[in-house]
Amino acid sequence: MGRQPCCDKIGLKKGPWTAEEDKKLISFLLTNGQCCWRALPKLAGLLRCGKSCRLRWTNYLRPDLKRGLLSEYEEKMVIDLHAQLGNRWSKIASHLPGRTDNEIKNHWNTHIKKKLKKMGIDPITHKPLFDNQHTQIQNQSQNQNQNQNQPFLEQQEQSNQTPQNVDLDDQNKEKDKEKQDTSSFDSSSTTIAIESKQGGEEEEKIIIMMPPPLIDDTVIMDEMIIMNDNNGFCTDEVPIIEPHEILVPCSDPSPSSISTSSSSSSSSASSLSSFNSNNSFLKDLQLPDFEWSCNNDHNGIIINNDIDDDNNNVALWNDDDFINCLNSLINDDDDNGDHGESSKQQVVFDNAPSPLSHYSKMVMDYSECSWPYDFS
DNA sequence: AACACCTTCAACCGCAACCGC
DNA sequence: TGCGGTTGCGGTTGAAGGTGT
């Protein structure tokens, strides 16, 4: 006998979600929180299977999602992490706040794969495809080269035994010292330098400093330097998202919903019920020192109770603002953008402990608003 | 304008892992 | 320990939009 389907598919809707369905799902999850996905469609009045609801929420509707193309830095991160983790998209996604495994997987298959091939790098092995005429590989030490050829888990073990340090600037040295016990990033561990210069072709010079072997499923990445000939970037160019600026639960009214650290690192798992209090989620996550490109096209909104007074592009939201927006979204029954009318039927988050209160802080990209609806 | 081909990405499917009993 | 239910993950699909002819 075949496996039982995840749900009774008779009469269940498939295919693209409608705005109405989205609203139902959002409304239900914000008022009730995440319960059993299997039971959710019935409770929410949706003709979908629970799996479909979960996917829709985690990949598209979650308020902490960033939308839009991956930034250059994110892309490099993905490449780098893929070199270590392979197709473990959820693990990769866990290092990129606001990105889902599905999104990264799609981006990898549609964009990055091609780019790497164009650059002469095998997207599977992350090693050069071309011979020496086109490619130079500079390995700074034989051991490092060996490390790269070893299975990932073996690298982990070695890394545990022989943590290596690198030249870091003074500011980072202390930080690095702290992290050394648990994780060490040796930015010199593997360097791939590719110089492509042939008859009128655009010159490319890419140096990829490979990150260290991972010690745990997650790793703190202190350094990742990828230099492009005319488009090199350094840490000075991008603002840093501190861990406290990233979506963090401030409280969890349902202790039973706290997930274990082993699963909470997944972006897909970073759902309402997965958050833990007291920032333990972040501890589990071990986010990298994130740096984002700061340009005029991306005015960041940080929904945050803390103030980032250095960044003029940052606007501050609090929970109430956000809930108001969600109310507007959910109760939007016309298209004239008139979201503020108090006479509208309102989904009430006020009295019941709102699951949204889990999101004390979150980062949204203003121009690529996380929510698929305009509720401005 | 019409058609074919290509690209993108949301959604689906099936398997594996996890969890509670 | 085994079993059944639930959730998470990664591969794949297919509709929609874009591009070329």
Side-chain angles (χ1 to χ4, degrees):
Chain A
M1 287 294 281
R3 181 191 172 84
Q4 242 191 336
C6 69
C7 52
D8 180 13
K9 296 190 177 178
I10 298 170
L12 291 186
K13 195 165 176 265
K14 284 173 65 175
W17 280 64
T18 64
E20 191 61 34
E21 289 175 309
D22 283 346
K23 286 176 188 177
K24 278 185 184 176
L25 183 57
I26 293 167
S27 172
F28 182 85
L29 285 167
L30 293 181
T31 46
N32 300 289
Q34 271 182 232
C35 57
C36 171
W37 284 110
R38 200 183 173 94
L40 186 146
K42 230 176 185 177
L43 297 170
L46 289 162
L47 290 172
R48 297 273 182 176
C49 74
K51 215 172 180 179
S52 182
C53 294
R54 181 176 56 82
L55 226 62
R56 183 64 179 172
W57 175 254
T58 54
N59 286 339
Y60 199 77
L61 296 174
R62 255 170 49 202
D64 56 324
L65 289 180
K66 283 181 72 183
R67 301 206 65 79
L69 283 176
L70 272 71
S71 69
E72 192 181 357
Y73 181 76
E74 286 176 298
E75 209 167 85
K76 313 286 192 221
M77 281 276 289
V78 170
I79 294 168
D80 200 53
L81 289 164
H82 187 272
Q84 300 172 67
L85 301 166
N87 292 0
R88 293 160 75 185
W89 304 115
S90 64
K91 294 281 180 216
I92 294 171
S94 71
H95 292 272
L96 296 163
R99 301 294 185 182
T100 68
D101 51 355
N102 205 35
E103 190 178 14
I104 290 169
K105 181 173 58 185
N106 281 334
H107 192 78
W108 176 269
N109 287 325
T110 56
H111 294 104
I112 299 176
K113 249 183 177 176
K114 287 175 195 169
K115 272 190 187 175
L116 288 178
K117 279 178 184 171
K118 205 175 172 185
M119 287 157 50
I121 298 172
D122 186 345
I124 298 166
T125 62
H126 290 261
K127 289 176 181 173
L129 288 165
F130 302 154
D131 60 22
N132 288 338
Q133 191 178 358
H134 301 281
T135 314
Q136 277 186 335
I137 304 176
Q138 301 173 348
N139 291 315
Q140 294 191 348
S141 78
Q142 287 182 343
N143 284 341
Q144 290 152 5
N145 191 26
Q146 284 170 359
N147 278 346
Q148 209 191 7
N149 293 330
Q150 283 175 336
F152 175 65
L153 288 174
E154 286 180 31
Q155 292 185 27
Q156 286 185 318
E157 285 169 15
Q158 276 207 354
S159 166
N160 273 326
Q161 290 160 4
T162 57
Q164 296 168 328
N165 215 342
V166 282
D167 292 339
L168 298 169
D169 60 45
D170 290 335
Q171 280 188 334
N172 285 337
K173 272 181 180 171
E174 271 190 37
K175 196 170 68 177
D176 188 63
K177 227 176 182 180
E178 288 172 13
K179 291 171 185 170
Q180 223 175 12
D181 291 337
T182 54
S183 170
S184 163
F185 188 127
D186 178 7
S187 66
S188 68
S189 61
T190 304
T191 302
I192 299 177
I194 297 169
E195 291 185 42
S196 170
K197 199 186 214 176
Q198 208 177 13
E201 280 183 18
E202 196 178 278
E203 184 179 347
E204 277 186 309
K205 186 177 184 181
I206 297 161
I207 301 171
I208 302 176
M209 320 292 274
M210 299 301 288
L214 293 176
I215 288 171
D216 201 343
D217 281 348
T218 55
V219 65
I220 297 174
M221 302 181 69
D222 293 332
E223 295 285 335
M224 185 174 76
I225 305 165
I226 298 180
M227 297 168 67
N228 218 320
D229 204 24
N230 295 321
N231 194 24
F233 65 93
C234 63
T235 55
D236 292 338
E237 294 179 350
V238 288
I240 294 174
I241 294 180
E242 297 291 341
H244 68 270
E245 292 174 353
I246 296 166
L247 181 62
V248 178
C250 61
S251 65
D252 191 342
S254 55
S256 62
S257 68
I258 297 170
S259 61
T260 58
S261 62
S262 63
S263 63
S264 64
S265 63
S266 161
S267 103
S268 294
S270 60
S271 50
L272 290 172
S273 63
S274 302
F275 289 125
N276 200 349
S277 57
N278 301 324
N279 292 347
S280 68
F281 168 79
L282 280 176
K283 287 173 192 166
D284 292 339
L285 188 58
Q286 296 188 32
L287 291 162
D289 290 346
F290 241 78
E291 299 162 42
W292 303 95
S293 181
C294 179
N295 58 48
N296 294 333
D297 299 332
H298 297 84
N299 294 326
I301 282 191
I302 297 184
I303 298 176
N304 192 339
N305 294 328
D306 297 305
I307 294 175
D308 182 352
D309 37 303
D310 292 328
N311 192 342
N312 293 329
N313 291 333
V314 165
L316 299 172
W317 285 28
N318 58 32
D319 293 350
D320 293 339
D321 294 331
F322 191 63
I323 290 171
N324 286 341
C325 282
L326 290 172
N327 265 320
S328 301
L329 162 67
I330 292 162
N331 294 295
D332 180 20
D333 51 3
D334 57 31
D335 293 324
N336 60 11
D338 186 7
H339 303 293
E341 290 192 1
S342 57
S343 61
K344 277 183 179 170
Q345 181 193 2
Q346 282 233 326
V347 173
V348 178
F349 302 121
D350 304 327
N351 298 330
S354 167
L356 193 63
S357 66
H358 297 228
Y359 297 94
S360 68
K361 298 165 187 178
M362 64 184 299
V363 179
M364 291 181 75
D365 189 300
Y366 188 66
S367 61
E368 295 159 354
C369 181
S370 294
W371 288 85
Y373 305 105
D374 177 21
F375 48 80
S376 57

